């Protein structure tokens, strides 16, 4: 395991009398992308706000081995963040926002690189009051990166982004990860998060129910065999009659486990004069894996 850049231990948080975080403990490895996953209201945003000392809490948070508390958190200078929606001044341009938030010796070349990677050249010098939701979101992302942080925390960064903008954001995150930056990212768009996250923290009702890797979570859950045959409809009927569990749809998609022997399936089809042109193995996607884990946890 790589060095831990952030350690959260036994953190509790209350809104009035309601406990919203319950003994939350996890760690982030340096130079890796960690996804924070859970249903709406599970506590993801509160966890991020707590790390950033935006809300009081009980427990321990360590950043690079040093304590960070609600009242004393100088180490947050090395953390960039976008929580919920970016705070934007409508009459300032995007460039003025980046220059306002840039600290110390941040070079203009670094700002220009961010603008280029997020494809913001066409509007960065226009007043933010005319920005679309996606344009505002990309400006918020750029503001999180502008001070060359060691850790970046992004809460629903794909909100309002079109497919091209999603790709630009992925490319930026991967580029920064390759430079050693660590990430904690929450998103309800699990198909996008699956393309990025290496590690996962899964939360439910204010508790961490699993910390794992993306690879281990996907491999631990459902596995499918997908067949391309000379007659897919007839192949489905044959396999259902033989007792196999098929996922509904046009494809011949059989739910099984990773160690399943396909020879018996092929024998069933060949005996009925169905030719098999292609066989693929697929693991459950992130959404299915998370739902199954949460259902099991409850």
């Amino acid at each position: 395991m790589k060095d831990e850049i952030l350690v959260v231990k036994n953190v509790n948080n209350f809104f009035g009398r309601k406990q919203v975080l319950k003994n939350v403990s996890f760690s982030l490895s340096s130079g890796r992308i960690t996804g924070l996953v859970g249903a709406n209201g599970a506590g993801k945003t509160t966890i991020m706000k707590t790390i950033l000392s935006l809300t009081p809490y009980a427990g321990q948070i360590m950043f690079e081995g040093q304590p960070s508390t609600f009242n004393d958190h100088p180490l947050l200078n090395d953390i960039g963040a976008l929580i919920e929606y970016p705070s934007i001044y409508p009459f300032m341009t995007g460039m003025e926002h980046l220059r306002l938030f840039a600290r110390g010796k941040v070079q203009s070349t670094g700002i220009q690189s961010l603008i280029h990677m997020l494809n913001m050249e066409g509007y960065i010098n226009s007043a933010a009051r005319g920005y679309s939701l996606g344009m505002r979101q990309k400006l918020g992302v750029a503001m999180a990166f502008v001070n060359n942080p060691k850790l970046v925390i992004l809460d629903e960064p794909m909100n309002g982004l079109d497919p091209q903008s999603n790709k630009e954001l992925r490319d930026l995150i991967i580029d920064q990860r390759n430079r050693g930056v660590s990430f904690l990212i929450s998103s309800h768009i699990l198909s996008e998060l699956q393309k990025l996250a290496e590690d996962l923290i899964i939360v439910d009702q204010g508790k961490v129910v699993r910390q794992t890797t993306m690879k281990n979570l996907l491999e631990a859950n459902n596995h499918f065999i997908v067949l391309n045959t000379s007659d897919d409809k007839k192949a489905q009927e044959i396999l259902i009659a033989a007792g196999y569990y098929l996922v509904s749809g046009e494809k011949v998609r059989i739910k099984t486990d990773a160690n399943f022997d396909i020879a018996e399936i092929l024998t069933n089809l060949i005996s009925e004069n169905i030719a098999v042109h292609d066989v693929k193995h697929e693991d459950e996607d992130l959404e299915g894996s998370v739902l199954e884990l949460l259902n099991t946890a409850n």
Side-chain angles (χ1 to χ4, degrees):
M1 177 179 288
K2 294 190 176 183
D3 293 339
E4 295 170 332
I5 190 169
L6 182 80
V7 176
V8 175
K9 188 173 182 180
N10 296 329
V11 165
N12 293 278
N13 195 309
F14 291 82
F15 289 168
R17 295 183 177 181
K18 181 181 179 182
Q19 186 171 7
V20 291
L21 297 184
K22 305 168 186 176
N23 292 317
V24 168
S25 297
F26 63 86
S27 61
L28 302 184
S29 296
S30 298
R32 288 177 69 85
I33 302 169
T34 301
L36 184 62
V37 180
N40 290 338
K44 303 186 299 296
T45 298
T46 303
I47 288 173
M48 291 179 158
K49 287 182 176 181
T50 300
I51 292 170
L52 296 168
S53 295
L54 297 177
T55 179
Y57 61 92
Q60 185 179 45
I61 295 176
M62 305 282 287
F63 181 71
E64 292 193 314
Q66 300 298 316
S68 178
T69 68
F70 178 68
N71 295 314
D72 184 18
H73 43 261
L75 298 171
L76 294 186
N77 291 331
D78 288 320
I79 300 178
L82 170 61
I83 303 296
E84 295 180 317
Y85 299 99
S87 298
I88 289 177
Y89 302 101
F91 296 100
M92 290 175 58
T93 69
M95 181 65 79
E96 287 170 340
H97 279 85
L98 294 176
R99 289 174 176 163
L100 174 66
F101 281 86
R103 295 192 302 265
K105 298 181 180 179
V106 173
Q107 300 294 319
S108 61
T109 52
I111 293 177
Q112 289 297 334
S113 177
L114 278 174
I115 293 169
H116 176 70
M117 291 196 73
L118 291 172
N119 196 22
M120 299 168 64
E121 292 96 337
Y123 57 86
I124 195 65
N125 291 307
S126 300
R129 66 178 182 273
Y131 285 13
S132 67
L133 174 60
M135 293 159 69
R136 293 167 62 90
Q137 194 72 2
K138 287 206 282 187
L139 177 58
V141 169
M143 289 159 59
F145 282 93
V146 73
N147 289 304
N148 301 315
K150 296 178 181 179
L151 170 64
V152 176
I153 297 175
L154 300 174
D155 185 20
E156 299 290 350
M158 290 87 171
N159 273 354
L161 300 186
D162 58 32
Q164 178 61 35
S165 296
N166 271 332
K167 183 180 183 306
E168 291 160 358
L169 176 57
R170 286 200 309 271
D171 290 345
L172 174 61
I173 291 171
I174 291 170
D175 174 78
Q176 293 296 306
R177 187 278 312 276
N178 292 341
R179 297 170 186 262
V181 178
S182 307
F183 287 88
L184 180 63
I185 304 173
S186 77
S187 177
H188 68 279
I189 310 174
L190 297 187
S191 58
E192 288 295 329
L193 193 60
Q194 186 173 345
K195 298 173 185 176
L196 280 171
E198 301 158 292
D199 301 319
L200 291 170
I201 299 164
I202 301 169
V203 296
D204 187 42
Q205 300 179 37
K207 298 180 289 185
V208 173
V209 296
R210 179 76 61 84
Q211 179 165 9
T212 185
T213 66
M214 179 72 74
K215 181 176 183 293
N216 287 344
L217 180 66
L218 296 181
E219 288 181 349
N221 287 295
N222 293 329
H223 186 79
F224 303 92
I225 294 172
V226 183
L227 305 179
N228 178 11
T229 74
S230 57
D231 189 337
D232 285 351
K233 184 176 180 181
K234 185 177 179 181
Q236 290 175 329
E237 294 172 355
I238 293 167
L239 293 174
I240 290 172
Y244 294 100
Y245 181 88
L246 270 69
V247 180
S248 60
E250 296 182 2
K251 292 183 178 181
V252 183
R253 197 163 187 249
I254 308 154
K255 183 178 178 181
T256 180
D257 60 68
N259 298 316
F260 188 80
D261 185 357
I262 196 173
E264 186 178 339
I265 292 175
L266 298 179
T267 299
N268 274 280
L269 295 177
I270 293 169
S271 67
E272 297 289 339
N273 297 316
I274 301 293
V276 178
H277 302 309
D278 187 39
V279 179
K280 292 181 180 178
H281 292 261
E282 293 181 359
D283 288 317
E284 182 74 89
D285 62 15
L286 178 58
E287 181 177 16
S289 295
V290 169
L291 289 174
E292 184 163 325
L293 176 61
L294 292 178
N295 288 335
T296 302
N298 296 325

